[in-house]
């Protein structure tokens, strides 16, 4: 089975219970910083969200300059016939529980960890069999000082919202 998003071509290895992701576009071999940033984002996702991204290697396709990185992550089983993706409120509750502050549509900031998360929208999360929110494709980054200050201002400007917790999710 295949799918594609904005950053990856995705295949499913149901036997291994893993999603296999190829970067959609080749990364220039000479541009080590691009590869380092990509790998740092994956490591931060593993650390902060308890994901299990693994680097499987790289592939170089004929006619392309550079390599496509290949990573895998868990395949989360979801409930058939029910919502696969969480609502915005479920995402907000999940992110708030982890110490993140919402700073805009799909954008969160963690002041203590000094992290920013973008693309935190429904299609990038799933609800597993138990109904738990699981991130599957977030953009996690360490902002520079200027961006950090802007995120803190945005977080302060957000309206306070009571989020559901526990059984209310």
């Amino acid at each position: 089975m295949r799918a594609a998003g904005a950053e990856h071509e995705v295949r499913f290895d149901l036997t291994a219970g893993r999603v296999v992701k190829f970067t959609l576009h080749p990364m220039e071999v000479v541009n080590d910083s691009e590869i380092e940033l990509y790998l740092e984002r994956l490591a931060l996702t593993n650390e902060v969200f308890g994901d299990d991204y693994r680097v499987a290697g790289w592939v170089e396709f004929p006619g392309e300059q550079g390599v496509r990185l290949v990573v895998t992550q868990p395949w989360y089983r979801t409930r058939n016939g029910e919502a696969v993706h969480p609502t915005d409120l479920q995402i907000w509750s999940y992110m708030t529980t982890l110490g993140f502050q919402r700073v805009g549509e799909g954008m969160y900031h963690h002041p203590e960890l000094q992290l920013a998360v973008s693309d935190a929208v429904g299609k990038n999360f799933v609800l597993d069999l138990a109904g738990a929110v699981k991130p599957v494709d977030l953009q996690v980054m360490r902002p520079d000082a200027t961006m950090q200050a802007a995120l803190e201002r945005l977080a302060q400007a957000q309206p306070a919202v009571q989020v559901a917790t526990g059984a209310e999710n």
Side-chain angles (χ1 to χ4, degrees), residues 30-95:
V30 294
N31 190 353
D32 289 339
S33 64
E34 181 183 8
I35 294 171
E36 285 177 29
L37 286 173
Y38 178 83
L39 294 175
E40 180 185 28
R41 282 197 345 250
L42 297 183
L44 288 169
T45 301
N46 284 349
E47 182 181 327
V48 176
F49 295 100
D51 206 335
D52 183 26
Y53 271 106
R54 298 178 191 169
V55 177
W58 65 88
V59 63
E60 190 170 357
F61 290 112
E64 292 184 348
Q65 194 166 7
V67 297
R68 293 186 193 207
L69 290 181
V70 183
V71 299
T72 69
Q73 75 181 121
W75 167 266
Y76 297 109
R77 294 193 58 209
T78 59
R79 294 183 256 184
N80 290 335
E82 294 188 36
V84 173
H85 302 288
T87 65
D88 289 341
L89 188 57
Q90 287 172 307
I91 294 168
W92 197 336
S93 177
Y94 171 77
M95 296 296 284

Side-chain angles (χ1 to χ4, degrees), residues 84-88 91 105-106 119-127 134 136 138:
V84 173
H85 302 288
T87 65
D88 289 341
I91 294 168
E105 185 70 31
D119 221 11
V121 295
K123 69 178 183 167
N124 291 325
F125 291 87
V126 295
L127 294 169
K134 300 289 186 178
V136 295
L138 300 180

Side-chain angles (χ1 to χ4, degrees), residues 97-169:
T97 300
L98 293 175
F100 284 89
Q101 300 171 334
R102 186 173 188 271
V103 295
E105 185 70 31
M107 185 75 175
Y108 289 83
H109 169 260
H110 197 298
E112 292 168 20
L113 298 177
Q114 296 186 348
L115 293 176
V117 174
S118 64
D119 221 11
V121 295
K123 69 178 183 167
N124 291 325
F125 291 87
V126 295
L127 294 169
D128 71 7
L129 287 173
V133 175
K134 300 289 186 178
V136 295
D137 196 18
L138 300 180
Q139 303 295 317
V140 183
M141 65 202 90
R142 293 198 186 279
D144 62 20
T146 303
M147 185 179 182
Q148 182 74 19
L151 290 168
E152 289 171 8
R153 283 193 305 277
L154 286 169
Q156 291 172 357
Q158 290 295 312
V161 172
Q162 180 66 35
V163 237
T165 58
E168 298 169 2
N169 274 345

Side-chain angles (χ1 to χ4, degrees), residues 3-24:
E7 189 176 33
H8 299 101
E9 179 180 334
V10 180
R11 297 190 182 168
F12 304 95
D13 183 345
L14 299 178
T15 305
R18 308 237 359 130
V19 176
V20 180
K21 295 180 172 183
F22 297 80
T23 52
L24 200 54

